[in-house]
Amino acid sequence: MIALSLALAASARAEELLPYTIVNDGIPASLTGAPGDVARGRALVLARTTTCILCHSGPFPETRFQGDLAPDLTGAGNRWSASQLRLRLVDASRFNPDTIMPSYYRADGLVRVGRNFAGKPILSAAEIEDIVAFLATLRD
Amino acid sequence: MISWRAIAVATLFAVAPALLAGEIPPDARRSGYTFMGPDTRAMQDDDTSNPGMLFVLDGEALWAKKTGSANRACADCHGDARSSMKGVAARYPAFDKAIGRPVTLDQRINLCRADHQQAAPLPYEDRELLALSAFVAHQSRGIPITAGDDPQAKPFVAQGRALFMQREGQLNLACTNCHDDNFDKRLAGAPITQGQPTGYPLYRLEWQTLGSLERRLRSCMTGVRAQAYDYGSPELVALELYLMSRARGLPMETPAVRP
């Protein structure tokens, strides 16, 4: 009885995150099964609440408020495949265990997460797909 | 055998150097002041344009005002703050023997109110508490920070250091990731400083008022989407103590101005 209810509780919590499969250094398949939207992806990367622009800069002439804690995103689509970009966003610590880049699609192994954010990934699967679609267009 | 020796050597290295890995050497420590633009510096430098000085003046009046059912003023016990409070804030948070742990300047003020004035405690970020705290800390302006030197404070400094190094929140970032590893860089275009607590309570243009170090730490925690510690909690006091010991030797600036 107890084991069953624990299993149910665990699956209810895991429901937030869609399952994905890592192949080599990427996630080849879309998290949602559908391709992302490039324009929405660009808007998301530029939104401060998404947090990318706090650390990164990129080809965004309309804003002065860009970070320099991380590489410029210009040309990211040349350097990385969509599959690699997807894994980088889902869990950048797979590439570099000491990275400061947050894992955007992870909700476990975190400490003292704020009440409003607990148990949730930073971005939804659909948002990740939009951003991947946009980053893939960043070619020199 | 070999592993025991390795452990002994490792322990030696962990204890021997005054400076722990990843920490900023004394001659490279810089106040947030040095990261600011000329206009904000000028505002801090000139007492007639520094908005924090209004709080210091309020604090001076409160220092002399009789309060509580004991009907006593701070000045009745401590006399002229210019001499009696000189250098005090540079040693805070300080170990309190009666309580057995460190207390912040704000907490000390409230302990004096309770024990010697029989007055109700002032709430955190209350204007009167900030004013008194600014007035007392102002008497240390220019004096090098020595907080955390007291051997009894050491375990709490260590606790604060562990919290500083701990990744937390939904963004999974530690204080050290920004303030040790990335100062001088820009977060969304704004400079990241070393997070040295030299000027508190200080006037932050973004807040449009004076605020405590605890307020600042809580907003950094909220920024990484962590659950901020409560005002006055042992964790915040330990972090404050660690930050002050990390700023050892830097002169106090209260009331500082920050963007």
Side-chain angles (χ1 to χ4, degrees), chain B residues 166-231:
Chain B
Q166 158 100 81
R167 289 194 186 228
E168 63 184 348
Q170 195 191 33
L171 302 188
N172 200 28
L173 289 167
C175 318
T176 186
N177 291 140
C178 287
H179 295 297
D180 284 330
D181 301 341
N182 282 299
F183 66 80
D184 258 342
K185 296 226 176 97
R186 286 171 172 267
L187 192 71
I192 300 178
T193 74
Q194 295 179 349
Q196 305 287 10
T198 46
Y200 287 85
L202 58 68
Y203 192 89
R204 195 164 269 276
L205 299 173
E206 186 200 323
W207 295 337
Q208 302 259 311
T209 184
L210 209 73
S212 71
L213 179 55
E214 294 194 27
R215 177 168 181 188
R216 176 68 247 182
L217 303 190
R218 283 167 51 85
S219 57
C220 281
M221 290 189 74
T222 309
V224 299
R225 303 183 184 174
Q227 193 61 45
Y229 297 114
D230 291 336
Y231 278 104

Short mmCIF file of all heavy atoms in Angstrom, two decimals, chain B residues 166-231:
data_model
loop_
_atom_site.label_atom_id
_atom_site.label_comp_id
_atom_site.label_asym_id
_atom_site.label_seq_id
_atom_site.Cartn_x
_atom_site.Cartn_y
_atom_site.Cartn_z
N GLN B 166 27.80 27.29 -1.50
CA GLN B 166 26.74 26.31 -1.80
C GLN B 166 25.87 26.77 -2.98
O GLN B 166 25.29 27.85 -2.95
CB GLN B 166 25.87 26.18 -0.54
CG GLN B 166 24.47 25.67 -0.78
CD GLN B 166 24.34 24.21 -0.47
OE1 GLN B 166 24.18 23.84 0.68
NE2 GLN B 166 24.39 23.39 -1.50
N ARG B 167 25.77 25.96 -4.00
CA ARG B 167 24.83 26.29 -5.07
C ARG B 167 23.42 26.14 -4.56
O ARG B 167 23.13 25.24 -3.78
CB ARG B 167 25.05 25.37 -6.26
CG ARG B 167 26.34 25.67 -6.99
CD ARG B 167 26.30 24.98 -8.32
NE ARG B 167 27.55 25.10 -9.03
CZ ARG B 167 27.62 25.47 -10.31
NH1 ARG B 167 26.52 25.75 -10.97
NH2 ARG B 167 28.78 25.53 -10.91
N GLU B 168 22.53 27.00 -5.02
CA GLU B 168 21.16 26.95 -4.50
C GLU B 168 20.19 27.55 -5.51
O GLU B 168 20.58 28.21 -6.46
CB GLU B 168 21.08 27.72 -3.17
CG GLU B 168 21.40 29.18 -3.33
CD GLU B 168 21.42 29.96 -2.03
OE1 GLU B 168 20.97 29.44 -1.00
OE2 GLU B 168 21.87 31.11 -2.07
N GLY B 169 18.92 27.27 -5.25
CA GLY B 169 17.85 27.86 -6.05
C GLY B 169 17.65 27.14 -7.37
O GLY B 169 18.43 26.28 -7.77
N GLN B 170 16.58 27.53 -8.06
CA GLN B 170 16.26 26.91 -9.34
C GLN B 170 17.38 27.15 -10.36
O GLN B 170 17.63 26.32 -11.21
CB GLN B 170 14.93 27.45 -9.86
CG GLN B 170 14.32 26.62 -10.98
CD GLN B 170 13.17 27.32 -11.66
OE1 GLN B 170 13.14 28.55 -11.78
NE2 GLN B 170 12.19 26.55 -12.09
N LEU B 171 18.08 28.30 -10.25
CA LEU B 171 19.17 28.59 -11.19
C LEU B 171 20.48 27.92 -10.77
O LEU B 171 21.47 27.97 -11.49
CB LEU B 171 19.37 30.09 -11.38
CG LEU B 171 18.17 30.90 -11.88
CD1 LEU B 171 18.59 32.33 -12.20
CD2 LEU B 171 17.55 30.26 -13.12
N ASN B 172 20.49 27.32 -9.58
CA ASN B 172 21.62 26.49 -9.14
C ASN B 172 22.95 27.25 -9.15
O ASN B 172 23.96 26.76 -9.67
CB ASN B 172 21.70 25.24 -10.03
CG ASN B 172 22.49 24.11 -9.40
OD1 ASN B 172 22.54 24.01 -8.18
ND2 ASN B 172 23.09 23.28 -10.22
N LEU B 173 22.96 28.46 -8.60
CA LEU B 173 24.18 29.27 -8.55
C LEU B 173 24.53 29.57 -7.09
O LEU B 173 23.66 29.78 -6.26
CB LEU B 173 23.97 30.58 -9.31
CG LEU B 173 23.88 30.46 -10.84
CD1 LEU B 173 23.36 31.74 -11.44
CD2 LEU B 173 25.24 30.09 -11.42
N ALA B 174 25.84 29.61 -6.82
CA ALA B 174 26.33 29.99 -5.49
C ALA B 174 26.81 31.43 -5.53
O ALA B 174 27.17 31.94 -6.59
CB ALA B 174 27.47 29.07 -5.08
N CYS B 175 26.85 32.06 -4.36
CA CYS B 175 27.40 33.41 -4.25
C CYS B 175 28.77 33.47 -4.91
O CYS B 175 29.09 34.40 -5.65
CB CYS B 175 27.53 33.82 -2.79
SG CYS B 175 26.16 33.34 -1.73
N THR B 176 29.60 32.46 -4.64
CA THR B 176 30.97 32.45 -5.15
C THR B 176 31.03 32.45 -6.67
O THR B 176 31.96 33.00 -7.26
CB THR B 176 31.75 31.23 -4.57
OG1 THR B 176 33.12 31.30 -4.94
CG2 THR B 176 31.17 29.91 -5.06
N ASN B 177 30.01 31.87 -7.34
CA ASN B 177 30.01 31.84 -8.80
C ASN B 177 30.00 33.24 -9.39
O ASN B 177 30.59 33.49 -10.43
CB ASN B 177 28.80 31.06 -9.34
CG ASN B 177 28.88 29.59 -9.05
OD1 ASN B 177 27.88 28.95 -8.70
ND2 ASN B 177 30.06 29.01 -9.17
N CYS B 178 29.30 34.15 -8.73
CA CYS B 178 29.28 35.52 -9.22
C CYS B 178 30.38 36.36 -8.58
O CYS B 178 31.13 37.04 -9.27
CB CYS B 178 27.91 36.16 -8.96
SG CYS B 178 26.63 35.51 -10.09
N HIS B 179 30.47 36.33 -7.23
CA HIS B 179 31.28 37.34 -6.54
C HIS B 179 32.75 36.96 -6.35
O HIS B 179 33.55 37.83 -6.02
CB HIS B 179 30.63 37.70 -5.21
CG HIS B 179 29.29 38.35 -5.39
ND1 HIS B 179 29.15 39.56 -6.02
CD2 HIS B 179 28.04 37.97 -5.04
CE1 HIS B 179 27.86 39.90 -6.05
NE2 HIS B 179 27.17 38.95 -5.47
N ASP B 180 33.13 35.68 -6.54
CA ASP B 180 34.55 35.32 -6.57
C ASP B 180 35.02 35.09 -8.01
O ASP B 180 36.09 35.52 -8.40
CB ASP B 180 34.83 34.02 -5.78
CG ASP B 180 34.81 34.23 -4.26
OD1 ASP B 180 35.15 35.33 -3.81
OD2 ASP B 180 34.46 33.27 -3.55
N ASP B 181 34.19 34.38 -8.79
CA ASP B 181 34.64 33.91 -10.10
C ASP B 181 34.34 34.88 -11.24
O ASP B 181 34.96 34.80 -12.30
CB ASP B 181 33.97 32.56 -10.45
CG ASP B 181 34.27 31.48 -9.42
OD1 ASP B 181 35.26 31.65 -8.68
OD2 ASP B 181 33.51 30.50 -9.35
N ASN B 182 33.38 35.77 -11.07
CA ASN B 182 32.95 36.59 -12.20
C ASN B 182 32.83 38.09 -11.91
O ASN B 182 32.18 38.81 -12.66
CB ASN B 182 31.61 36.07 -12.74
CG ASN B 182 31.80 34.82 -13.59
OD1 ASN B 182 32.48 34.86 -14.62
ND2 ASN B 182 31.23 33.71 -13.14
N PHE B 183 33.47 38.57 -10.82
CA PHE B 183 33.39 40.01 -10.62
C PHE B 183 34.14 40.70 -11.76
O PHE B 183 35.02 40.10 -12.38
CB PHE B 183 33.90 40.43 -9.24
CG PHE B 183 35.37 40.19 -9.00
CD1 PHE B 183 36.32 41.08 -9.48
CD2 PHE B 183 35.80 39.08 -8.28
CE1 PHE B 183 37.67 40.87 -9.24
CE2 PHE B 183 37.14 38.86 -8.05
CZ PHE B 183 38.08 39.75 -8.53
N ASP B 184 33.72 41.92 -12.04
CA ASP B 184 34.26 42.69 -13.18
C ASP B 184 33.59 42.30 -14.48
O ASP B 184 33.78 42.97 -15.48
CB ASP B 184 35.79 42.55 -13.35
CG ASP B 184 36.52 43.78 -12.81
OD1 ASP B 184 35.85 44.82 -12.65
OD2 ASP B 184 37.72 43.69 -12.55
N LYS B 185 32.80 41.22 -14.47
CA LYS B 185 32.03 40.91 -15.68
C LYS B 185 30.65 41.56 -15.52
O LYS B 185 30.36 42.19 -14.51
CB LYS B 185 31.90 39.40 -15.83
CG LYS B 185 33.24 38.71 -16.06
CD LYS B 185 33.17 37.72 -17.19
CE LYS B 185 34.52 37.12 -17.48
NZ LYS B 185 34.69 35.82 -16.83
N ARG B 186 29.82 41.38 -16.57
CA ARG B 186 28.52 42.04 -16.57
C ARG B 186 27.38 41.05 -16.63
O ARG B 186 27.37 40.17 -17.49
CB ARG B 186 28.44 43.03 -17.73
CG ARG B 186 29.27 44.24 -17.45
CD ARG B 186 29.41 45.17 -18.62
NE ARG B 186 30.07 46.38 -18.13
CZ ARG B 186 29.41 47.45 -17.70
NH1 ARG B 186 28.09 47.49 -17.80
NH2 ARG B 186 30.05 48.47 -17.20
N LEU B 187 26.43 41.24 -15.73
CA LEU B 187 25.22 40.43 -15.71
C LEU B 187 24.13 41.32 -16.32
O LEU B 187 23.81 42.37 -15.75
CB LEU B 187 24.89 40.08 -14.26
CG LEU B 187 23.83 39.02 -14.02
CD1 LEU B 187 24.34 37.63 -14.41
CD2 LEU B 187 23.40 39.00 -12.56
N ALA B 188 23.63 40.92 -17.51
CA ALA B 188 22.66 41.75 -18.22
C ALA B 188 23.13 43.21 -18.29
O ALA B 188 22.36 44.13 -18.10
CB ALA B 188 21.29 41.67 -17.57
N GLY B 189 24.41 43.41 -18.54
CA GLY B 189 24.92 44.76 -18.76
C GLY B 189 25.36 45.49 -17.50
O GLY B 189 26.02 46.52 -17.59
N ALA B 190 25.04 44.96 -16.30
CA ALA B 190 25.40 45.65 -15.05
C ALA B 190 26.62 44.97 -14.43
O ALA B 190 26.70 43.75 -14.41
CB ALA B 190 24.23 45.63 -14.08
N PRO B 191 27.57 45.77 -13.92
CA PRO B 191 28.78 45.16 -13.38
C PRO B 191 28.50 44.30 -12.16
O PRO B 191 27.69 44.66 -11.30
CB PRO B 191 29.67 46.34 -12.98
CG PRO B 191 28.90 47.57 -13.22
CD PRO B 191 27.60 47.23 -13.85
N ILE B 192 29.17 43.16 -12.07
CA ILE B 192 29.13 42.32 -10.87
C ILE B 192 30.33 42.71 -10.02
O ILE B 192 31.45 42.76 -10.54
CB ILE B 192 29.21 40.83 -11.23
CG1 ILE B 192 28.04 40.43 -12.13
CG2 ILE B 192 29.24 39.96 -9.97
CD1 ILE B 192 28.10 38.97 -12.57
N THR B 193 30.12 42.97 -8.75
CA THR B 193 31.21 43.35 -7.86
C THR B 193 31.67 42.13 -7.06
O THR B 193 31.13 41.04 -7.23
CB THR B 193 30.78 44.45 -6.87
OG1 THR B 193 29.93 43.87 -5.89
CG2 THR B 193 30.04 45.57 -7.59
N GLN B 194 32.62 42.35 -6.18
CA GLN B 194 33.07 41.25 -5.31
C GLN B 194 32.08 40.99 -4.18
O GLN B 194 32.31 40.10 -3.36
CB GLN B 194 34.45 41.60 -4.73
CG GLN B 194 35.54 41.70 -5.77
CD GLN B 194 36.88 42.07 -5.17
OE1 GLN B 194 36.97 42.46 -4.00
NE2 GLN B 194 37.94 41.97 -5.97
N GLY B 195 31.02 41.78 -4.09
CA GLY B 195 30.05 41.58 -3.01
C GLY B 195 30.65 41.88 -1.63
O GLY B 195 30.40 41.16 -0.68
N GLN B 196 31.45 42.95 -1.56
CA GLN B 196 32.05 43.32 -0.27
C GLN B 196 31.07 44.20 0.52
O GLN B 196 30.54 45.17 -0.02
CB GLN B 196 33.37 44.08 -0.48
CG GLN B 196 34.38 43.33 -1.36
CD GLN B 196 35.05 42.14 -0.68
OE1 GLN B 196 34.63 41.72 0.41
NE2 GLN B 196 36.06 41.58 -1.31
N PRO B 197 30.83 43.86 1.79
CA PRO B 197 29.76 44.52 2.56
C PRO B 197 30.23 45.78 3.28
O PRO B 197 29.92 45.98 4.45
CB PRO B 197 29.37 43.43 3.56
CG PRO B 197 30.68 42.75 3.84
CD PRO B 197 31.48 42.80 2.55
N THR B 198 30.98 46.63 2.61
CA THR B 198 31.68 47.73 3.27
C THR B 198 30.80 48.92 3.65
O THR B 198 31.22 49.71 4.50
CB THR B 198 32.78 48.26 2.34
OG1 THR B 198 32.20 48.40 1.03
CG2 THR B 198 33.94 47.30 2.24
N GLY B 199 29.63 49.05 3.03
CA GLY B 199 28.93 50.34 3.19
C GLY B 199 27.57 50.28 3.83
O GLY B 199 26.80 51.24 3.73
N TYR B 200 27.23 49.19 4.51
CA TYR B 200 25.85 49.01 4.99
C TYR B 200 25.62 49.62 6.35
O TYR B 200 26.56 49.69 7.13
CB TYR B 200 25.50 47.52 5.01
CG TYR B 200 25.31 47.02 3.60
CD1 TYR B 200 26.41 46.60 2.85
CD2 TYR B 200 24.06 47.06 2.99
CE1 TYR B 200 26.25 46.20 1.52
CE2 TYR B 200 23.90 46.66 1.67
CZ TYR B 200 24.98 46.22 0.94
OH TYR B 200 24.83 45.84 -0.37
N PRO B 201 24.36 50.04 6.65
CA PRO B 201 23.27 50.12 5.68
C PRO B 201 23.60 51.17 4.63
O PRO B 201 24.25 52.16 4.92
CB PRO B 201 22.05 50.52 6.52
CG PRO B 201 22.59 51.07 7.78
CD PRO B 201 23.94 50.48 7.99
N LEU B 202 23.14 50.95 3.39
CA LEU B 202 23.48 51.86 2.31
C LEU B 202 22.26 52.26 1.50
O LEU B 202 21.22 51.62 1.56
CB LEU B 202 24.58 51.27 1.42
CG LEU B 202 24.39 49.94 0.71
CD1 LEU B 202 23.36 50.00 -0.38
CD2 LEU B 202 25.73 49.47 0.14
N TYR B 203 22.45 53.36 0.77
CA TYR B 203 21.39 53.88 -0.07
C TYR B 203 21.53 53.28 -1.46
O TYR B 203 22.53 53.49 -2.13
CB TYR B 203 21.47 55.41 -0.17
CG TYR B 203 20.22 56.01 -0.79
CD1 TYR B 203 19.12 56.38 0.00
CD2 TYR B 203 20.12 56.16 -2.17
CE1 TYR B 203 17.97 56.89 -0.57
CE2 TYR B 203 18.97 56.67 -2.75
CZ TYR B 203 17.90 57.03 -1.93
OH TYR B 203 16.74 57.53 -2.51
N ARG B 204 20.54 52.48 -1.87
CA ARG B 204 20.57 51.89 -3.20
C ARG B 204 19.57 52.63 -4.07
O ARG B 204 18.40 52.77 -3.73
CB ARG B 204 20.23 50.39 -3.12
CG ARG B 204 20.57 49.62 -4.38
CD ARG B 204 20.58 48.12 -4.14
NE ARG B 204 21.88 47.62 -3.77
CZ ARG B 204 22.85 47.31 -4.63
NH1 ARG B 204 22.66 47.43 -5.92
NH2 ARG B 204 24.01 46.87 -4.21
N LEU B 205 20.07 53.15 -5.21
CA LEU B 205 19.21 53.96 -6.09
C LEU B 205 18.02 53.12 -6.54
O LEU B 205 16.90 53.62 -6.64
CB LEU B 205 20.01 54.46 -7.29
CG LEU B 205 21.20 55.37 -6.93
CD1 LEU B 205 22.04 55.70 -8.15
CD2 LEU B 205 20.72 56.64 -6.24
N GLU B 206 18.25 51.83 -6.78
CA GLU B 206 17.18 50.93 -7.21
C GLU B 206 16.08 50.83 -6.13
O GLU B 206 14.91 50.72 -6.45
CB GLU B 206 17.81 49.56 -7.47
CG GLU B 206 16.89 48.52 -8.07
CD GLU B 206 17.44 47.11 -7.85
OE1 GLU B 206 18.67 46.92 -7.91
OE2 GLU B 206 16.62 46.21 -7.59
N TRP B 207 16.47 50.87 -4.86
CA TRP B 207 15.49 50.77 -3.77
C TRP B 207 14.87 52.13 -3.45
O TRP B 207 13.83 52.20 -2.80
CB TRP B 207 16.16 50.27 -2.48
CG TRP B 207 16.69 48.88 -2.52
CD1 TRP B 207 16.31 47.87 -3.35
CD2 TRP B 207 17.72 48.32 -1.66
NE1 TRP B 207 17.04 46.74 -3.07
CE2 TRP B 207 17.89 46.98 -2.04
CE3 TRP B 207 18.48 48.83 -0.61
CZ2 TRP B 207 18.82 46.13 -1.41
CZ3 TRP B 207 19.40 48.00 0.01
CH2 TRP B 207 19.56 46.66 -0.38
N GLN B 208 15.56 53.20 -3.80
CA GLN B 208 15.13 54.54 -3.43
C GLN B 208 15.07 54.73 -1.93
O GLN B 208 14.29 55.54 -1.42
CB GLN B 208 13.74 54.84 -4.02
CG GLN B 208 13.69 54.71 -5.53
CD GLN B 208 13.76 56.04 -6.22
OE1 GLN B 208 13.04 56.97 -5.88
NE2 GLN B 208 14.67 56.17 -7.17
N THR B 209 15.86 53.97 -1.21
CA THR B 209 15.92 54.12 0.24
C THR B 209 17.17 53.44 0.78
O THR B 209 17.92 52.81 0.04
CB THR B 209 14.66 53.54 0.92
OG1 THR B 209 14.73 53.81 2.33
CG2 THR B 209 14.55 52.05 0.72
N LEU B 210 17.37 53.61 2.09
CA LEU B 210 18.46 52.90 2.76
C LEU B 210 18.02 51.45 2.97
O LEU B 210 16.85 51.18 3.17
CB LEU B 210 18.69 53.57 4.12
CG LEU B 210 20.10 53.51 4.71
CD1 LEU B 210 21.02 54.45 3.93
CD2 LEU B 210 20.10 53.90 6.17
N GLY B 211 18.97 50.52 2.91
CA GLY B 211 18.61 49.13 3.17
C GLY B 211 19.77 48.42 3.83
O GLY B 211 20.92 48.86 3.78
N SER B 212 19.44 47.29 4.48
CA SER B 212 20.46 46.54 5.23
C SER B 212 21.17 45.55 4.32
O SER B 212 20.70 45.23 3.22
CB SER B 212 19.78 45.78 6.36
OG SER B 212 19.02 44.70 5.82
N LEU B 213 22.28 45.02 4.82
CA LEU B 213 22.99 43.94 4.12
C LEU B 213 22.07 42.73 3.96
O LEU B 213 22.09 42.07 2.93
CB LEU B 213 24.26 43.58 4.91
CG LEU B 213 25.13 42.46 4.37
CD1 LEU B 213 25.54 42.71 2.92
CD2 LEU B 213 26.37 42.28 5.25
N GLU B 214 21.25 42.48 4.98
CA GLU B 214 20.35 41.32 4.88
C GLU B 214 19.38 41.47 3.72
O GLU B 214 19.07 40.52 3.01
CB GLU B 214 19.62 41.08 6.20
CG GLU B 214 20.60 40.69 7.29
CD GLU B 214 19.95 40.12 8.54
OE1 GLU B 214 18.85 39.55 8.45
OE2 GLU B 214 20.56 40.26 9.61
N ARG B 215 18.90 42.70 3.53
CA ARG B 215 17.99 42.93 2.41
C ARG B 215 18.70 42.58 1.10
O ARG B 215 18.13 41.95 0.21
CB ARG B 215 17.52 44.39 2.40
CG ARG B 215 16.63 44.69 1.22
CD ARG B 215 15.93 46.02 1.32
NE ARG B 215 15.08 46.20 0.14
CZ ARG B 215 14.45 47.32 -0.15
NH1 ARG B 215 14.56 48.38 0.64
NH2 ARG B 215 13.69 47.40 -1.23
N ARG B 216 19.97 43.02 0.97
CA ARG B 216 20.74 42.74 -0.24
C ARG B 216 20.93 41.23 -0.44
O ARG B 216 20.74 40.69 -1.52
CB ARG B 216 22.09 43.44 -0.15
CG ARG B 216 23.04 43.17 -1.27
CD ARG B 216 22.57 43.75 -2.58
NE ARG B 216 22.24 42.73 -3.56
CZ ARG B 216 21.85 42.98 -4.80
NH1 ARG B 216 21.70 44.23 -5.22
NH2 ARG B 216 21.57 42.01 -5.63
N LEU B 217 21.29 40.52 0.63
CA LEU B 217 21.53 39.08 0.51
C LEU B 217 20.26 38.35 0.13
O LEU B 217 20.28 37.43 -0.69
CB LEU B 217 22.10 38.50 1.82
CG LEU B 217 23.39 39.13 2.33
CD1 LEU B 217 23.96 38.30 3.48
CD2 LEU B 217 24.41 39.27 1.23
N ARG B 218 19.15 38.80 0.72
CA ARG B 218 17.88 38.16 0.38
C ARG B 218 17.54 38.39 -1.09
O ARG B 218 16.99 37.52 -1.75
CB ARG B 218 16.76 38.67 1.30
CG ARG B 218 16.82 38.03 2.71
CD ARG B 218 15.92 38.76 3.71
NE ARG B 218 14.56 38.92 3.22
CZ ARG B 218 13.60 38.01 3.34
NH1 ARG B 218 13.85 36.86 3.95
NH2 ARG B 218 12.40 38.25 2.86
N SER B 219 17.89 39.58 -1.64
CA SER B 219 17.55 39.77 -3.05
C SER B 219 18.48 38.98 -3.96
O SER B 219 18.04 38.54 -5.02
CB SER B 219 17.44 41.25 -3.43
OG SER B 219 18.61 41.91 -3.15
N CYS B 220 19.74 38.76 -3.56
CA CYS B 220 20.59 37.85 -4.36
C CYS B 220 20.02 36.44 -4.35
O CYS B 220 20.02 35.75 -5.36
CB CYS B 220 22.03 37.87 -3.85
SG CYS B 220 22.98 39.31 -4.42
N MET B 221 19.52 36.01 -3.19
CA MET B 221 18.94 34.66 -3.11
C MET B 221 17.69 34.54 -3.97
O MET B 221 17.50 33.57 -4.69
CB MET B 221 18.62 34.29 -1.66
CG MET B 221 19.85 34.07 -0.80
SD MET B 221 19.47 33.38 0.83
CE MET B 221 19.09 31.67 0.41
N THR B 222 16.84 35.57 -3.89
CA THR B 222 15.64 35.56 -4.71
C THR B 222 16.02 35.56 -6.19
O THR B 222 15.35 34.93 -7.01
CB THR B 222 14.76 36.78 -4.38
OG1 THR B 222 14.58 36.83 -2.97
CG2 THR B 222 13.41 36.71 -5.05
N GLY B 223 17.11 36.25 -6.51
CA GLY B 223 17.59 36.34 -7.89
C GLY B 223 17.94 34.97 -8.48
O GLY B 223 17.71 34.73 -9.66
N VAL B 224 18.49 34.09 -7.66
CA VAL B 224 18.78 32.74 -8.16
C VAL B 224 17.59 31.80 -7.90
O VAL B 224 17.70 30.59 -8.05
CB VAL B 224 20.09 32.15 -7.57
CG1 VAL B 224 21.28 33.03 -7.97
CG2 VAL B 224 20.03 31.97 -6.07
N ARG B 225 16.46 32.39 -7.55
CA ARG B 225 15.21 31.66 -7.30
C ARG B 225 15.36 30.64 -6.18
O ARG B 225 14.88 29.51 -6.27
CB ARG B 225 14.71 31.01 -8.60
CG ARG B 225 14.52 32.06 -9.69
CD ARG B 225 13.96 31.49 -10.97
NE ARG B 225 13.89 32.53 -12.00
CZ ARG B 225 13.55 32.33 -13.26
NH1 ARG B 225 13.21 31.12 -13.66
NH2 ARG B 225 13.51 33.32 -14.12
N ALA B 226 16.07 31.08 -5.13
CA ALA B 226 16.17 30.29 -3.91
C ALA B 226 15.19 30.87 -2.89
O ALA B 226 14.79 32.03 -3.00
CB ALA B 226 17.59 30.33 -3.36
N GLN B 227 14.84 30.06 -1.89
CA GLN B 227 14.01 30.54 -0.79
C GLN B 227 14.91 31.34 0.14
O GLN B 227 15.81 30.79 0.77
CB GLN B 227 13.41 29.33 -0.07
CG GLN B 227 12.29 29.67 0.89
CD GLN B 227 11.12 30.32 0.17
OE1 GLN B 227 10.69 29.87 -0.89
NE2 GLN B 227 10.63 31.41 0.72
N ALA B 228 14.70 32.67 0.19
CA ALA B 228 15.59 33.52 1.00
C ALA B 228 15.46 33.17 2.47
O ALA B 228 14.37 32.83 2.94
CB ALA B 228 15.25 34.98 0.76
N TYR B 229 16.58 33.23 3.21
CA TYR B 229 16.51 33.04 4.66
C TYR B 229 15.78 34.21 5.30
O TYR B 229 15.85 35.33 4.81
CB TYR B 229 17.92 32.94 5.25
CG TYR B 229 18.70 31.76 4.76
CD1 TYR B 229 19.83 31.94 3.97
CD2 TYR B 229 18.30 30.48 5.05
CE1 TYR B 229 20.55 30.85 3.50
CE2 TYR B 229 19.01 29.38 4.59
CZ TYR B 229 20.13 29.58 3.81
OH TYR B 229 20.82 28.50 3.33
N ASP B 230 15.13 33.95 6.43
CA ASP B 230 14.42 35.01 7.14
C ASP B 230 15.41 36.03 7.70
O ASP B 230 16.54 35.68 8.05
CB ASP B 230 13.62 34.41 8.31
CG ASP B 230 12.46 33.58 7.82
OD1 ASP B 230 12.00 33.79 6.67
OD2 ASP B 230 12.03 32.67 8.57
N TYR B 231 14.96 37.26 7.83
CA TYR B 231 15.74 38.29 8.50
C TYR B 231 16.15 37.80 9.89
O TYR B 231 15.32 37.24 10.61
CB TYR B 231 14.92 39.57 8.66
CG TYR B 231 14.90 40.43 7.42
CD1 TYR B 231 13.78 40.48 6.60
CD2 TYR B 231 15.99 41.21 7.08
CE1 TYR B 231 13.76 41.29 5.46
CE2 TYR B 231 15.98 42.01 5.95
CZ TYR B 231 14.87 42.05 5.15
OH TYR B 231 14.86 42.84 4.04
#
